[in-house]
Amino acid sequence: MIDRRSFATGLIAAVSAVHLPTSALAKRRVELDPRFLPQTVVSPYAQPAGTIVVAPRDRFLYLIEGRGAARRYGIGVGKAGLAFSGSAIIERKAKWPAWRPTANMIRRDPAKYARYADGVPGGPGNPLGSRALYLYRDGRDTYYRIHGTTEPWTIGQAVSNGCIRMVNEHVEELYERVPLGSRVVVV
């Protein structure tokens, strides 16, 4: 039997679960649409277990689990014309990765990115967030990543420079579930 205090504490925790903290730099809390929270769903894709399928138009990433199931996560994706397409392999993973804007990013928006040309060390203020999965094609870095974010309110939007961004807590879960060599397919 559960007492009232335990029930009330559990209820408050459950209701609060959809309110996700932002980075240490931002003091506001973000309410994420519940459909973008991690959940097990019937897989809409016929891919082998362990494959990551990214559906940019729908703003979802699926980790195919097999037997018709997938773990679905909400994502923020690249703006039109900046998004990755096709397939790749995860050949590198990093916790609290460093970040450096690409030369194209600096050319496109020097006022925003030139000051970071020497890079940003890993940590709570880094745009790649707490984890990064690096996508390679034919053994070459594509410069596209599945990564965390310091801007969780952008999940569900086309806002990035082409990468696939996730809430830090969600990318941390994905990071632990996928090994190097995992296939990523963007549909």
Side-chain angles (χ1 to χ4, degrees), residues 45-68:
Y45 301 100
Q47 294 286 337
T51 303
I52 294 173
V53 178
V54 179
R57 283 180 212 80
D58 298 332
R59 310 296 195 264
F60 292 120
L61 178 150
Y62 298 85
L63 173 59
I64 307 302
E65 295 179 326
R67 297 186 180 186

Side-chain angles (χ1 to χ4, degrees), residues 168-181:
N168 282 332
E169 291 83 358
H170 303 172
V171 77
E172 289 167 14
E173 177 184 306
L174 181 68
Y175 180 97
E176 294 301 324
R177 297 184 69 175
V178 297
L180 292 175

Side-chain angles (χ1 to χ4, degrees), residues 18-49:
V18 296
H19 296 278
L20 300 170
T22 61
S23 75
L25 300 178
K27 299 298 181 197
R28 71 180 188 175
R29 294 180 66 80
V30 174
E31 186 173 331
L32 195 63
D33 185 322
R35 68 189 169 118
F36 294 123
L37 295 173
Q39 52 199 283
T40 300
V41 298
V42 173
S43 177
Y45 301 100
Q47 294 286 337

Side-chain angles (χ1 to χ4, degrees), residues 23 94-99 120-134 145-152 164-169 171-172:
S23 75
K95 292 182 178 182
W96 293 108
W99 172 75
V120 177
N126 185 300
L128 293 185
S130 63
R131 303 290 183 274
L133 307 171
Y134 295 76
R145 318 282 184 243
I146 298 170
H147 64 81
T149 183
T150 56
E151 302 173 338
I164 301 144
R165 62 170 67 168
M166 301 173 69
V167 171
N168 282 332
E169 291 83 358
V171 77
E172 289 167 14

Side-chain angles (χ1 to χ4, degrees), residues 85-152:
S85 64
S87 64
I89 302 295
I90 297 171
E91 289 195 19
R92 182 173 167 234
K93 295 169 41 173
K95 292 182 178 182
W96 293 108
W99 172 75
R100 178 182 318 255
T102 65
N104 283 339
M105 290 168 70
I106 294 170
R107 264 193 302 280
R108 255 192 328 271
D109 195 344
K112 184 174 183 179
Y113 296 112
R115 64 183 168 199
Y116 303 116
D118 291 331
V120 177
N126 185 300
L128 293 185
S130 63
R131 303 290 183 274
L133 307 171
Y134 295 76
L135 305 183
Y136 284 68
R137 187 180 282 155
D138 300 321
R140 298 184 67 181
D141 189 352
T142 64
Y143 295 101
Y144 288 98
R145 318 282 184 243
I146 298 170
H147 64 81
T149 183
T150 56
E151 302 173 338

